[in-house]
Amino acid sequence: MHKTLTVAWREFTTTIMTRAFLLAVVLPPLIMGVMFTLMPILMNQATPKVTGRIAILDRSAVVADRLKDAFTPESMRARHELKTRAQIEQAPKIPGIDAEQQAKQTAAMTAIQTQLSVEILPPTTDLEQAKKQVAAANVKGAAADGQNPRLVVVVIPAEAVRGDKLTGFEMFLAPKLDVEVQKDIEDQVARAIVDARIEGSRLDVAQVRGLIERPRATAMTVTAEGQRKTNEAAAMLVPGAFLFLLWISVFTAGQYLLTTTIEEKSNRVMEVLLSAVSPLQLMVGKILGQMAVGAVILGAYAGLGMVGLVYASMKDLVDPMNLVYLAVYFIIAFFLIASLMAAVGSAVSDVREAQSLLAPIMIV
């Protein structure tokens, strides 16, 4: 046992006492921190800059008029501000940052730039001719060229509003039309059709919409420090974070085990070691030593994650017992992967040969 622990200690120290290991442990969190800091700045948060017309071919004769005011600058701005505020409410609350101020800044940065107008086509319009104008529309350069092309043709059949079997509607879109614009047009047309159905049934549209509107719950998490708004996105990301910790710690240390085994075989160091210890003691010691390396990586990253949760006042998302399970599953996962890595390293004498044998392991 003493020889096995001696081999394990040698394996541990020769791995972590290198600049490459320190850089490998320190650089990933730094890079991720810089990435998450710069991501909001580098991302194009501006709303789509689209200018054009939405042609409505309404064969029901009761929907088109409802869409005249749906795409005015005021209506589109109101929908955008409502969407922005909902996103801010779902975002994690970071100490020191005022959510109200953040909402105003985000809304200012993403001001509406889309200019759409509604064009109501006569019922006798040739649909194929109408679609030709859509196909020829220049979505990207329309605003710069001062054009107002036809971007969409919406066909609303009479059966969409009345009849025993209600149907949907069709949308014919210009190439490269922004997905956000498409979704907004689809939502507003669908809403207008539903309103027409309700009114056709001699019911009050506002009253019916008020009755069927799904009430929103304000979920609050109660902790020892008080209560805070529940963040569903953060709660869903925590299991992924545990999986990431297991993956990076197990496979990083497993790769070290593989490469050191191959290097020691090629440098004849293995022969010297086997003159002092048995093959079983050597491999068990190497596995234990690299497991300690993986534990260092796991502890460093898990500690940083817990510090981040404490700073964001979300430490209650992690049950302390889960940290115990993390350690248990790390031991199980590492011995499984390390045994496979050690087997590959023992069977080959070149890193290139090992790469071909690693593919089945990575699949498993």
Side-chain angles (χ1 to χ4, degrees), residues 5 9 22 46 50 64-65 92 107-108 110 113 129 140 149 152 166 195 213 246 259 293 301 321 332:
L5 294 178
W9 177 251
L22 293 176
V50 179
D65 289 339
T110 60
Q113 301 185 65
Q129 290 296 325
K140 301 295 183 182
V152 183
L166 299 175
D195 288 350
E213 183 178 358
L246 280 176
T259 54
V293 173
Y301 288 175
M321 198 61 193
I332 296 172

Side-chain angles (χ1 to χ4, degrees), residues 131-363:
K131 289 193 291 186
K132 286 181 180 179
Q133 294 188 33
V134 173
N138 180 13
V139 177
K140 301 295 183 182
D145 299 338
Q147 300 176 358
N148 189 30
R150 181 182 290 171
L151 302 179
V152 183
V153 173
V154 179
V155 180
I156 305 172
E159 293 80 9
V161 178
R162 62 181 72 91
D164 296 333
K165 189 176 181 181
L166 299 175
T167 64
F169 61 96
E170 293 179 309
M171 290 175 55
F172 301 95
L173 311 168
K176 300 181 180 179
L177 181 62
D178 192 276
V179 176
E180 290 186 28
V181 176
Q182 296 180 29
K183 187 69 170 63
D184 188 39
I185 294 172
E186 181 181 349
D187 289 344
Q188 295 309 307
V189 173
R191 183 182 180 87
I193 290 175
V194 172
D195 288 350
R197 291 174 179 174
I198 294 172
E199 193 171 273
S201 300
R202 298 182 181 180
L203 299 173
D204 183 79
V205 174
Q207 185 178 13
V208 172
R209 285 218 172 261
L211 290 172
I212 66 174
E213 183 178 358
R214 182 175 178 176
R216 295 179 58 187
T218 303
M220 306 296 291
T221 299
V222 182
T223 64
E225 292 80 12
Q227 63 183 34
R228 62 169 178 80
K229 204 165 186 180
T230 301
N231 188 273
E232 296 179 2
M236 293 176 63
L237 289 174
V238 168
F242 276 96
L243 178 61
F244 174 77
L245 287 172
L246 280 176
W247 172 270
I248 195 170
S249 58
V250 168
F251 274 90
T252 301
Q255 288 284 356
Y256 282 134
L257 177 62
L258 174 67
T259 54
T260 56
T261 303
I262 296 174
E263 287 174 2
E264 289 174 359
K265 283 182 62 180
S266 60
N267 296 336
R268 300 299 181 92
V269 175
M270 189 73 73
E271 297 176 9
V272 177
L273 293 173
L274 288 175
S275 65
V277 297
S278 67
L280 181 61
Q281 288 174 325
L282 177 62
M283 295 313 297
V284 172
K286 290 176 72 66
I287 290 174
L288 290 176
Q290 292 300 336
M291 186 179 71
V293 173
V296 169
I297 298 173
L298 181 67
Y301 288 175
L304 286 173
M306 288 304 299
V307 169
L309 289 176
V310 171
Y311 177 74
S313 300
M314 292 190 295
K315 65 180 181 180
D316 58 282
L317 289 175
V318 178
D319 187 339
M321 198 61 193
N322 284 347
L323 299 178
V324 177
Y325 291 140
L326 178 64
V328 172
Y329 281 111
F330 165 75
I331 295 172
I332 296 172
F334 183 82
F335 272 107
L336 174 64
I337 300 300
S339 300
L340 295 172
M341 293 287 191
V344 172
S346 302
V348 301
S349 56
D350 187 84
V351 176
R352 287 174 296 180
E353 294 179 49
Q355 294 299 326
S356 59
L357 292 177
L358 274 178
I361 295 176
M362 298 299 289
I363 293 174

Side-chain angles (χ1 to χ4, degrees), residues 83-101:
K83 179 181 177 182
T84 302
R85 184 166 294 278
Q87 292 174 343
I88 294 295
E89 290 177 356
Q90 290 298 319
K93 301 297 183 292
I94 301 176
I97 298 180
D98 183 22
E100 189 68 25
Q101 186 66 25

